Amino acid sequence: MKTRSSKRLAFFERYLTLWVAACMVLGVGIGRLFPGATHFLSGMELGQSHVNIPIAVLIWLMIFPMMLKIDFGGLRGVARRPKGLAVTLFVNWLVKPFSMALFGSFFVVGLFSSTLHWIDPGTAHNYLAGLIILAAAPCTAMVFVWSYLVEGDAAYTLAQVAINDLIMTFAFAPIVMLLVGVSGIVVPKEVLLTSVVAFIVIPLAAGWISRSLVIRLRGLAWFERSFLPLFKPVMTLALLATLVMIFAFQAENILTNWIAVGLLAIPILIQVYANSGLTYLIMRWLRVPHPVASPGALIGASNFFELAVAVAITLFGPTSPAALATVVGVLVEVPVMLSVCHLCVGTKGWYEATGLDFFDTDSIPREIECDDSLKNRGRKEER
């Protein structure tokens, strides 16, 4: 079934699953054909921080344009419609990382390692650490694509992403240290904090400063129409190059541990569908409009895999089992999130057919400040 939003989706996003697959094939091929060059690149680290320099540069090129889009001044309006935001934050920070630790412990450490002996215990705990790192960082960039697909409220999605990024600056490191420590692996505090500063704090600050300066000098219209589009090809190329490099670093792991790749996908799949379903149902129970609930469900399930991969590489090395676990997250992320998008769009009628009156034109402004498309739709219905 084709949706109106799928027809409007840009060429790159429409075939994102194919790009990821192509990057995997190319990266694994490079890793196998040029092991010396791959080893050299994986060993390029910034001082004693264990931050991989090529990955760091590419991550910055991806994250900085994302941060440019965040309008922190728009967060003031969220207080007048807090339900959707509260549900999203609850799932992102109090459910998602802990549920991944639970699913990962049950399947990877318990079933696949202790019971079936398919994975040795040390490797299993390393895999679990990577899964926890993956789940501890809410998605930033791809959320806008998912929201676009389900015709979500763009302004509200932006607010959710902005607040998640602010929370991530001080909550990501403690959650990872707590849960990974529980799994039996000691996380170097200094290395993790360095990763948070390098991949969250600096891009966030740089984006906010750049946005403020450009808007002050040239205006908001020029910023949105001329300045931001300059970064779209940069971000796209950086994403593809990052994927190629990640798969090149993990070539040996992927080829020799391809069964582990399939096993690791199981807790990731369960976690994505469980958290997106939980968010969606709570939103419906609280009478949150569908344009807020659907992107909220997607934000509650997706992961900031660019950051997760960078942190796993920084903490455990580019060829570690933890890094491989985050790479499996990359493989699973796109097709699974597209399926969640289809589920949200396909159940919109069920979601709205609840006998609730907040979908009536008169009640929408009290619950949410809709974007122009929703307001225009409401005026047409009134006429």
Side-chain angles (χ1 to χ4, degrees), residues 140-354:
T140 296
M142 293 305 296
V143 164
F144 297 106
V145 176
W146 311 139
S147 180
Y148 183 76
L149 278 171
V150 297
E151 297 184 332
D153 182 344
Y156 204 89
T157 302
L158 185 62
Q160 289 173 308
V161 170
I163 293 177
N164 261 333
D165 284 343
L166 288 176
I167 294 175
M168 193 157 42
T169 60
F170 61 83
F172 177 76
I175 288 176
V176 169
M177 290 182 67
L178 170 66
L179 294 178
V180 174
V182 170
S183 74
I185 295 178
V186 177
V187 176
K189 182 178 180 181
E190 296 78 10
V191 176
L192 181 57
L193 292 178
T194 300
S195 300
V196 172
V197 171
F199 300 118
I200 300 176
V201 177
I202 292 177
L204 186 64
W208 174 70
I209 293 171
S210 301
R211 178 186 176 91
S212 301
L213 289 176
V214 173
I215 291 176
R216 183 179 301 174
L217 293 174
R218 300 297 299 270
L220 180 61
W222 187 87
F223 173 81
E224 293 180 342
R225 297 172 185 172
S226 301
F227 188 71
L228 280 180
L230 295 175
F231 292 92
K232 181 65 180 294
V234 174
M235 189 166 62
T236 300
L237 291 174
L239 172 61
L240 296 177
T242 301
L243 293 176
V244 171
M245 191 167 293
I246 288 170
F247 289 124
F249 290 167
Q250 289 290 329
E252 194 66 27
N253 270 337
I254 292 174
L255 292 176
T256 58
N257 299 319
W258 58 271
I259 295 178
V261 172
L263 297 177
L264 289 170
I266 294 174
I268 296 175
L269 286 169
I270 294 174
Q271 190 249 7
V272 169
Y273 287 122
N275 288 326
S276 59
L278 175 65
T279 307
Y280 200 54
L281 292 175
I282 294 177
M283 293 274 199
R284 186 175 189 259
W285 177 59
L286 292 176
R287 303 185 176 190
V288 176
H290 193 266
V292 172
S294 50
L298 295 159
I299 295 172
S302 55
N303 304 301
F304 193 172
F305 64 80
E306 301 94 338
L307 173 66
V309 170
V311 171
I313 289 175
T314 301
L315 291 175
F316 302 104
T319 60
S320 64
L324 177 62
T326 59
V327 170
V328 176
V330 180
L331 292 172
V332 172
E333 174 91 2
V334 176
V336 173
M337 293 311 300
L338 286 174
S339 71
V340 176
C341 287
H342 284 295
L343 287 172
C344 288
V345 173
T347 58
K348 184 177 180 180
W350 165 83
Y351 188 97
E352 296 180 350
T354 61

